[in-house]
Amino acid sequence: MLADLHDIGRDPATGGYRRYAWNDADMELREWFAGEAAARGMEVFEDGNGNQFAWWGSGGDALLIGSHLDSVPDGGAYDGPLGVVSSFAAVDRLRADGFEPSRPIVIGNFADEEGARFGIACAGSQLVTGALAADRALAQKDRDGVTMAEVLRARGRDPHAVGATDLLDHVGTFVELHVEQGRSLVHTGDAVGVASAIWPHGRWRLDFCGEANHAGATVMEDRRDPMQAYAATVLASRRLATDAGVRATFGRLEVEPGGTNAIPSRVRAWLDARAADEGELDRLVDNLVAAAQAAAEADGTTVELTPESVSPAVEFDGPLRDRLATLLDAPVLPTGAGHDAGVLSAHIPTAMLFVRNPTGISHSPAEFAEESDCDAGITALTSVVRELA
Ligand SMILES: [Zn+2]
């Protein structure tokens, strides 16, 4: 199945995946998901948010497994798809063994998990659980200025159908398998681990504003160049994050007017920050904004902060986590990455399984997992489904 997905949305130059909510690659992946479900006689239901659910059996208290199929810009082949593919493979193994589930088993493909297009991570799971208001999501614009509502209409979906559903009335437990985004399992020497917690994390937009002017005719003393305060802020982020033992990243930048021979009028930068607890995260952002403001003031420029998506700390269900760790004889580890499992864990017992990533690299074309470890992941997920259903 991973081989079937290999070329979908893959940029030939970088080898990375560009599978963004509702783009052509995403549409092809949705069809692939529906086809895999149909081939197994599983009924597929797509909710108003674009989340796809393939049902084995019907009724309440279903066991949900699965993950997402979208990617970050130039993402890897495993983040997301490994969980979906492993779920179909686990169903195949259970059926080959003649297993008869005691509750419905549902494979999910959550829409827009990475938030690469509209800026809000886990949009599909946040919308379906009511954590994200439909109005706010529908008004979000992509980089071409097109709103989510317009994109949905163009893909034949009804923007009025976006929002919370009765999913949580039908699903009692969620288990998401995911490639590890770090090297904890390399250190413990295990192919599979169980998640303990997700660090609180978020995305903030910083608008540094100054005055556009000629790069040759404007002496240095007369400039109001917002790039300078931006640069000072990036350097401060490394110092502040390192000192606090937390993480801060500037990975996206837009410069206006964007000419080599023009002093910028505006530098728009996005901060991704993560910490072990919410107090640490708030402190980091506060300190960073203070550093940005001091740098801007010194240059006669300004900076404005807009939180785009902030996710609280997630502690996965303790009894379920311990039960799965014992069942699989697997280590328990935290993660700095956000997941749909984090969103659902606020409502129903939720667990995550991680599959070893030898380099720890993720959100990059270099992301990798050994075939034998992927196989161990399927075996673990199969055991978990057998245990819980
Ligand atoms: Zn993911």
Side-chain angles (χ1 to χ4, degrees):
M1 282 182 271
L2 281 174
D4 292 343
L5 300 180
H6 184 268
D7 292 331
I8 302 177
R10 187 168 181 269
D11 184 78
T14 63
Y17 290 96
R18 297 176 180 181
R19 298 162 169 171
Y20 312 141
W22 305 106
N23 75 358
D24 289 348
D26 190 45
M27 297 307 288
E28 210 177 318
L29 290 162
R30 292 171 168 282
E31 260 177 55
W32 173 87
F33 182 92
E36 291 297 317
R40 290 167 177 80
M42 299 173 82
E43 202 177 335
V44 178
F45 170 74
E46 181 186 301
D47 70 20
N49 310 296
N51 303 311
Q52 290 177 298
F53 300 102
W55 285 74
W56 174 9
S58 60
D61 192 33
L63 170 61
L64 176 64
I65 53 178
S67 190
H68 63 96
L69 293 173
D70 67 314
S71 78
V72 296
D74 280 335
Y78 299 86
D79 180 352
L82 185 63
V84 176
V85 162
S86 297
S87 297
F88 281 120
V91 164
D92 291 345
R93 287 195 189 175
L94 290 162
R95 287 179 167 182
D97 293 347
F99 178 72
E100 303 229 3
S102 60
R103 62 200 282 202
I105 293 168
V106 186
I107 300 178
N109 166 32
F110 281 101
D112 202 4
E113 194 273 346
E114 302 287 4
R117 184 164 188 181
F118 297 106
I120 300 176
C122 300
S125 58
Q126 288 205 72
L127 282 166
V128 74
T129 57
L132 172 63
D135 291 358
R136 179 163 175 242
L138 289 167
Q140 289 292 121
K141 289 179 181 169
D142 68 11
R143 292 172 199 216
D144 298 323
V146 185
T147 64
M148 188 188 285
E150 289 165 335
V151 167
L152 286 169
R153 262 193 293 269
R155 289 306 190 182
R157 268 69 177 179
D158 177 11
H160 295 107
V162 168
T165 73
D166 59 358
L167 175 74
L168 295 168
D169 296 340
H170 302 292
V171 171
T173 313
F174 178 35
V175 179
E176 180 173 6
L177 178 146
H178 205 279
V179 67
E180 195 195 353
Q181 298 166 294
R183 299 184 74 239
S184 298
L185 292 171
V186 175
H187 297 309
T188 63
D190 295 280
V192 175
V194 176
S196 58
I198 298 177
W199 280 21
H201 56 279
R203 301 171 184 191
W204 293 262
R205 193 180 80 226
L206 287 96
D207 284 279
F208 297 86
C209 293
E211 186 179 51
N213 212 332
H214 195 287
T218 318
V219 300
M220 300 310 282
E221 292 77 6
D222 286 350
R223 297 179 178 208
R224 290 172 53 224
D225 176 1
M227 185 65 83
Q228 300 296 325
Y230 163 68
T233 306
V234 174
L235 296 176
S237 75
R238 180 164 69 178
R239 178 172 50 77
L240 292 167
T242 306
D243 289 353
V246 302
R247 287 161 206 171
T249 306
F250 284 96
R252 181 179 166 201
L253 187 66
E254 287 173 6
V255 182
E256 293 171 19
T260 306
N261 57 357
I263 297 164
S265 56
R266 178 200 295 268
V267 174
R268 180 169 278 178
W270 281 264
L271 166 71
D272 176 304
R274 302 163 192 245
D277 71 66
E278 282 155 40
E280 289 278 337
L281 185 62
D282 290 346
R283 245 187 316 282
L284 171 78
V285 175
D286 289 349
N287 289 337
L288 195 59
V289 169
Q293 272 162 349
E297 257 167 49
D299 288 338
T301 59
T302 62
V303 59
E304 205 173 299
L305 179 84
T306 310
E308 288 200 336
S309 154
V310 184
S311 308
V314 171
E315 191 76 40
F316 287 111
D317 185 79
L320 180 60
R321 175 198 64 208
D322 295 344
R323 185 175 169 193
L324 300 192
T326 304
L327 173 75
L328 304 171
D329 190 20
V332 173
L333 45 126
T335 175
H339 300 283
D340 295 310
V343 176
L344 267 75
S345 75
H347 305 278
I348 54 173
T350 298
M352 287 194 79
L353 304 181
F354 290 126
V355 170
R356 177 165 50 194
N357 176 339
T359 61
I361 291 176
S362 186
H363 286 187
S364 152
E367 181 182 83
F368 181 67
E370 295 287 353
E371 199 170 318
S372 55
D373 286 353
C374 294
D375 195 64
I378 296 166
T379 302
L381 184 60
T382 306
S383 303
V384 167
V385 174
R386 198 182 279 282
E387 168 84 4
L388 299 179

